[in-house]
Amino acid sequence: MDTLSEIFAVLSGWLWGWPMIILLLGTHIFLTIRLRFPQRWIFTAIKLSVKKDPDGEGDVSQFASLATALAATIGTGNIIGVSTAIALGGPGAVLWCWLTGVFGISTKYAEGLLAIKYRVTTSRGRMLGGPMYALERGLGWRTMAVLFALFTAIASFGIGNTVQANAIATLVYESYSLPPAITGGVVCVLVAAVLLGGVKSIARVCGMLVPFMALCYIVGCVVILCLNSHYVLPALRLIVESAFHPQAAGGGFVGGSIIMAARYGIARGLFSNESGLGSAPIVAAAARTRNPVRQALVSSSGTFWDTVVICALTGVVVVSSILAYPDIDYSNGATLTRDAFGKIPLVGTSILTFGLLTFAFSTILGWCYYGERAVEYLSGRRWVLAYRVAYIIAVFVGSVIQLGVVWNIADCMNALMAIPNLLSLLFLNGILVHETRKYLWRGRLERE
């Protein structure tokens, strides 16, 4: 097992090295320019996300689709991942993480557009889509489509399931001394109650849970920033200066290199918002919408909330807390968030605990939908129930075992998902421009 873990650790480090970062960030920037900065439509996208489209076809509302995607995206990466970037790359990593989210809006827009453009309707009248259908129907790359679906199904058991279940069990044990087996059993039952109801049940629960948990976390972070008010502006200044002039790092921070700040900030941003990974368009394809661009805009708002808002808030909270309490050990990313939030009396630990628990639980629900659609693409409906049962069992298993090798395998699967998805976006950029011009640039978003 140790040897296997080392092999996947090396492979993960290679797959998520500079070539992948350049490919992902390069795609973000290319699509931003090619699509004439779709970020400028972000407020239109937010408005559309809460607006029903009675003329659209699909299985769930646009808001339910977005909530399910956010459920899978907003997870421990938004909290622990940001602190890890700060620990490894310095406070400047927060700015690079934020910029990755800003440019990633374009990629998430493109993914949502292709999901609707190439989705199919089953004999039961259900909508199916995602990168596997764009690869097969848009480019004729059937083998690449199968590989993407296979990597997605495997990844769902890792980053979307066992890793999140383990985070919940560990947090509950550290906070309340409750054995992981008990926590795992409770979470297993709760997940089963939702998943056995199918996509509409998942979307309904996510539609209620995601806005509540995100709002509570955002309000909690604002409260902490108010308590740290004297250190907020110094923290913002330090984040900006450290991103481009690491020697300016102060307040107890050890200045790193610009390359380190950029590398870890970009990597954590990409991992957090999943723009380019290819997961979110799977559920975007189920949305009721009258044209591809409407859902593309709604999908793009997910990256805005995930990284531009939540990750940025987490970063400012952590940096301001370190400035306010110099005794915090900022060299360990795994404990940095806990120590930073824990310094705030009464509310700090509660906000962190609630955020981690709800974010991890919602991620389990969202990723089940991704994996289920991937299995359905590979083998049809006959294996879907078996997949759900195995997924529920994996929740309990993940709660009680060590996950070093699982983390590394999950990282590898995520990278292998991203490669074919990014290729589809780049090779189908002409379609993206055509659809955007037809509906958005010519002002037909509401009329067709």
Side-chain angles (χ1 to χ4, degrees), residues 3 33 38 63 117 134-135 158 166 184 216 226 245-246 276 285 300 326 372 397 443:
T3 302
I33 297 172
F63 177 77
K117 177 69 176 178
L135 286 163
N166 190 266
C216 288
C226 290
H245 304 286
S300 71
E372 187 176 309
V397 174

Side-chain angles (χ1 to χ4, degrees), residues 225-247:
L225 291 178
C226 290
L227 294 173
N228 287 348
S229 58
H230 294 298
Y231 298 93
V232 173
L233 287 179
L236 291 172
R237 184 168 57 250
L238 180 61
I239 288 169
V240 174
E241 291 177 352
S242 299
F244 303 102
H245 304 286
Q247 69 275 9

Side-chain angles (χ1 to χ4, degrees), residues 215-302:
L215 180 62
C216 288
Y217 183 74
I218 290 172
V219 170
C221 286
V222 171
V223 170
I224 292 177
L225 291 178
C226 290
L227 294 173
N228 287 348
S229 58
H230 294 298
Y231 298 93
V232 173
L233 287 179
L236 291 172
R237 184 168 57 250
L238 180 61
I239 288 169
V240 174
E241 291 177 352
S242 299
F244 303 102
H245 304 286
Q247 69 275 9
F253 283 107
V254 177
S257 68
I258 296 176
I259 291 178
M260 293 292 284
R263 176 184 176 183
Y264 288 108
I266 292 171
R268 288 299 95 186
L270 295 172
F271 187 78
S272 170
N273 60 53
E274 297 183 8
S275 293
L277 189 64
S279 52
I282 296 176
V283 69
R288 284 192 292 271
T289 183
R290 72 184 73 178
N291 62 63
V293 173
R294 287 176 66 93
Q295 182 55 36
L297 288 170
V298 172
S299 294
S300 71
S301 68

Side-chain angles (χ1 to χ4, degrees), residues 2 26 42 49 55 60 67 95 290 417:
D2 290 340
I42 191 62
S49 68
D55 298 324
V60 296
L95 180 62
R290 72 184 73 178
M417 285 173 60

